[in-house]
Amino acid sequence: FTGDFSYDIMDMDEAVITINLENTSGEFGYLTGLAFLFPSEDLVVSSFESSEKKFGQLSNPINAQPFGKNFGLGSSTFKSWEGGGKPSYGIATGSSGQFVFNIMGENVGSYNVQDFINTGDFVVRFRGYAGGGSDKVAGGTSAQVPEPITLVLLGTGLLYFGYKNRKESS
């Protein structure tokens, strides 16, 4: 799957998480669930919306096996992460869906995107593969985004070495 995750702070006690996912699996499976960890147990979901009408909000804590039992937020085509229901209620290969969670809690405004989607903190479930198969995939990233000045310095260094090599070749 591919997607993007945004975290918009409304005030210090309220924020909106928007997740856009595209099912890029080549196996004709359906994306049927997602879950991620809250950085704090004090956060709660105040409302949920999805472009995918068959998806509903999962109750906290979410048992997102094999990744763990304490995921704080999620959505699925069934009432649990484990599955059930028709796989075709999910997001088909090549299709996309949007999920919007309004969250509340003390100091919600002090968090950022990385607090929610470090490696293994965001998981997705697929169902409906040939023979009734399914898959569960961890997403997210722990890589730091380079600061703009780092990119400028790197680019300048590469240009210098390119110029130096060209001058020595002449």
Side-chain angles (χ1 to χ4, degrees):
F1 70 94
T2 62
D4 59 75
F5 185 107
S6 68
Y7 185 72
D8 299 307
I9 299 167
M10 309 312 283
D11 60 45
M12 283 308 288
D13 298 326
E14 185 178 358
V16 176
I17 295 171
T18 305
I19 303 166
N20 295 297
L21 294 177
E22 180 181 358
N23 181 350
T24 58
S25 69
E27 299 284 330
F28 304 107
Y30 294 86
L31 192 154
T32 60
L34 62 107
F36 57 94
L37 293 171
F38 268 154
S40 167
E41 292 179 12
D42 299 328
L43 303 179
V44 296
V45 178
S46 59
S47 67
F48 167 76
E49 295 177 33
S50 175
S51 64
E52 301 301 303
K53 301 302 177 203
K54 300 288 185 177
F55 277 79
Q57 179 184 335
L58 294 174
S59 298
N60 179 0
I62 299 165
N63 182 358
Q65 291 299 335
F67 305 106
K69 297 181 178 183
N70 295 314
F71 281 73
L73 191 57
S75 179
S76 175
T77 56
F78 192 61
K79 52 190 164 205
S80 74
W81 168 264
E82 284 83 19
K86 296 181 181 178
S88 61
Y89 286 170
I91 301 171
T93 299
S95 295
S96 301
Q98 183 177 69
F99 305 87
V100 179
F101 299 89
N102 292 307
I103 60 171
M104 299 181 80
E106 244 182 85
N107 297 317
V108 166
S110 66
Y111 297 109
N112 63 45
V113 170
Q114 286 302 126
D115 291 322
F116 292 89
I117 61 167
N118 286 315
T119 301
D121 291 353
F122 184 80
V123 295
V124 174
R125 179 180 176 95
F126 293 89
R127 294 188 61 234
Y129 292 134
S134 68
D135 197 8
K136 299 156 196 98
V137 180
T141 178
S142 60
Q144 295 294 323
V145 176
E147 295 291 329
I149 192 67
T150 304
L151 294 175
V152 169
L153 290 172
L154 176 64
T156 304
L158 291 174
L159 287 173
Y160 170 76
F161 284 117
Y163 171 77
K164 186 176 176 187
N165 283 342
R166 227 174 131 191
K167 190 173 179 183
E168 289 175 1
S169 298
S170 300

